[in-house]
């Protein structure tokens, strides 16, 4: 029933085979979507090769660099989308970053530079991308981003990223309200802790995973593919009445009080 054949999906945030964005890309591809993949450019071009080698099996028709802190690159990415696709249907936002110093110690010691950088990359980038995407997204389009429980409750060593995720979740609601007139839906997925490149910067991530496996109703954490399945659903016509929501994919951990 879940069929994305004929849909074009732009995916930002694949870093390696542990990325949640990678799980999403696989499931969108399996459902029939045509993919556009971005990578974070760096002086030695390491990420380009790593992401290109990983995603070759998905046959992306667009493969472009995009650093959301570089306005020219964001604009060029969408110019490429317009040139090659004209219009597209799905935007997947899996971008977040905070320095290690901002993910440890006292939250009140967060530097101005670290705070602004985390909010720019992790939160503002969704608004930035939607602002440019809305002119070339088809009616019935879908935007999906990634959040975490630390955006609504205090999580040890999450600090400024919790503030960034809180802002991201509120951005989902405001963007959903704006883009609804164009029949474009905006939702977020709040995933349980998964071992990824990004989560490895959070102190005690293995303890977090063990705790979830003990407390969650399903007695386990979740996989990238399970998050990918939910993203595919949110990008499909099966979820046509859902927008502005944060969907928890965390084996039920969020419902528990103790």
């Amino acid at each position: 029933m879940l069929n994305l054949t004929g849909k074009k999906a732009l995916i930002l945030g694949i870093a390696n085979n542990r990325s949640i964005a990678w799980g999403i890309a696989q499931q969108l591809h399996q459902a029939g979507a045509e993919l556009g993949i971005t990578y974070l450019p760096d002086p030695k071009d390491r990420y380009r090769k790593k992401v290109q080698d990983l995603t070759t099996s998905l046959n992306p028709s667009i493969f472009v660099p995009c650093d959301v802190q570089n306005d020219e690159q964001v604009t060029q990415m969408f110019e490429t989308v317009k040139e090659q696709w004209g219009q597209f249907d799905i935007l997947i936002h899996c971008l977040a970053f905070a320095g290690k110093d901002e993910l440890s110690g006292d939250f009140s010691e967060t530097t101005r530079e670290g705070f602004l950088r985390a909010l720019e990359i992790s939160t503002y980038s969704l608004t930035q991308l939607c602002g440019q995407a809305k002119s070339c997204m088809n009616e019935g389009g879908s935007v999906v981003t990634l959040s975490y429980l630390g955006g609504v409750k205090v999580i040890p060593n999450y600090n400024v990223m919790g503030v960034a995720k809180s802002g991201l979740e509120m951005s989902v609601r405001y963007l959903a309200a704006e883009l609804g007139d164009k029949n474009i839906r905006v939702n977020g997925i709040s995933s349980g802790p998964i071992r990824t490149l990004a989560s490895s910067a959070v102190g005690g991530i293995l303890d977090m995973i063990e705790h979830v496996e003990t407390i969650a109703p399903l007695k386990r954490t979740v996989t990238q593919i399970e998050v990918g399945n939910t993203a595919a659903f949110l990008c499909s016509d099966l979820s046509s009445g859902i927008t502005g929501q944060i969907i928890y994919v965390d084996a039920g951990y969020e419902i528990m009080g103790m």
Side-chain angles (χ1 to χ4, degrees):
M1 292 177 63
L2 201 161
N3 187 355
L4 298 178
T5 301
K7 304 285 188 183
K8 295 177 173 62
L10 182 63
I11 302 174
L12 295 92
I14 297 176
N16 57 35
N17 62 356
R18 288 188 175 181
S19 299
I20 295 176
W22 170 236
I24 294 175
Q26 291 178 83
Q27 298 314 97
L28 295 187
H29 174 72
Q30 182 173 305
E34 180 180 348
L35 303 187
I37 304 291
T38 73
Y39 63 92
L40 181 65
D42 68 289
K44 295 184 179 180
D45 221 19
R46 292 168 298 178
Y47 297 130
R48 181 195 63 77
K49 186 177 188 317
K50 182 179 293 186
V51 176
Q52 191 169 41
D53 289 347
L54 178 64
T55 60
T56 296
S57 62
L58 305 184
N59 301 312
S61 55
I62 292 177
F63 187 79
V64 292
C66 185
D67 178 351
V68 291
Q69 291 185 285
N70 185 320
D71 290 340
E72 290 184 6
Q73 283 190 18
V74 173
T75 298
Q76 183 56 54
M77 176 185 68
F78 281 109
E79 287 300 321
T80 300
V81 167
K82 292 173 185 177
E83 289 170 6
Q84 297 195 29
W85 284 351
Q87 300 284 109
F88 75 113
D89 307 279
I90 296 165
L91 176 63
I92 303 295
H93 173 274
C94 302
L95 303 173
F97 179 82
K100 286 190 176 181
D101 290 343
E102 280 72 58
L103 294 174
S104 61
D106 293 337
F107 174 63
S108 63
E109 299 300 318
T110 305
T111 65
R112 183 189 303 271
E113 178 186 9
F115 188 96
L116 294 177
R117 179 177 56 189
L119 270 289
E120 179 184 9
I121 296 173
S122 311
T123 309
Y124 173 68
S125 62
L126 178 65
T127 300
Q128 174 190 26
L129 293 168
C130 285
Q132 294 211 35
K134 64 184 180 182
S135 66
C136 54
M137 284 194 82
N138 286 316
E139 183 176 338
S142 178
V143 179
V144 177
T145 188
L146 293 180
S147 190
Y148 177 58
L149 184 63
V152 294
K153 297 180 182 180
V154 175
I155 299 293
N157 300 313
Y158 209 56
N159 289 8
V160 72
M161 189 54 71
V163 177
K165 291 299 187 184
S166 179
L168 182 71
E169 293 191 8
M170 202 64 232
S171 298
V172 164
R173 300 181 184 103
Y174 275 100
L175 290 167
E178 174 191 342
L179 300 181
D181 282 347
K182 298 178 179 294
N183 195 25
I184 295 171
R185 298 177 296 108
V186 185
N187 293 289
I189 298 172
S190 186
S191 165
I194 297 175
R195 290 189 66 182
T196 66
L197 182 63
S199 71
S200 65
V202 179
I205 182 64
L206 296 181
D207 293 334
M208 274 189 212
I209 292 173
E210 183 178 349
H211 177 70
V212 168
E213 291 172 342
T214 301
I215 301 299
L218 297 183
K219 303 303 178 188
R220 63 179 179 84
T221 188
V222 294
T223 67
Q224 289 91 334
I225 294 299
E226 287 178 310
V227 178
N229 285 335
T230 302
F233 164 71
L234 289 173
C235 294
S236 76
D237 293 339
L238 296 177
S239 63
S240 59
I242 301 174
T243 194
Q245 303 301 308
I246 306 299
I247 310 296
Y248 282 89
V249 182
D250 64 352
Y253 178 79
E254 185 269 340
I255 70 170
M256 303 302 292
M258 293 181 66

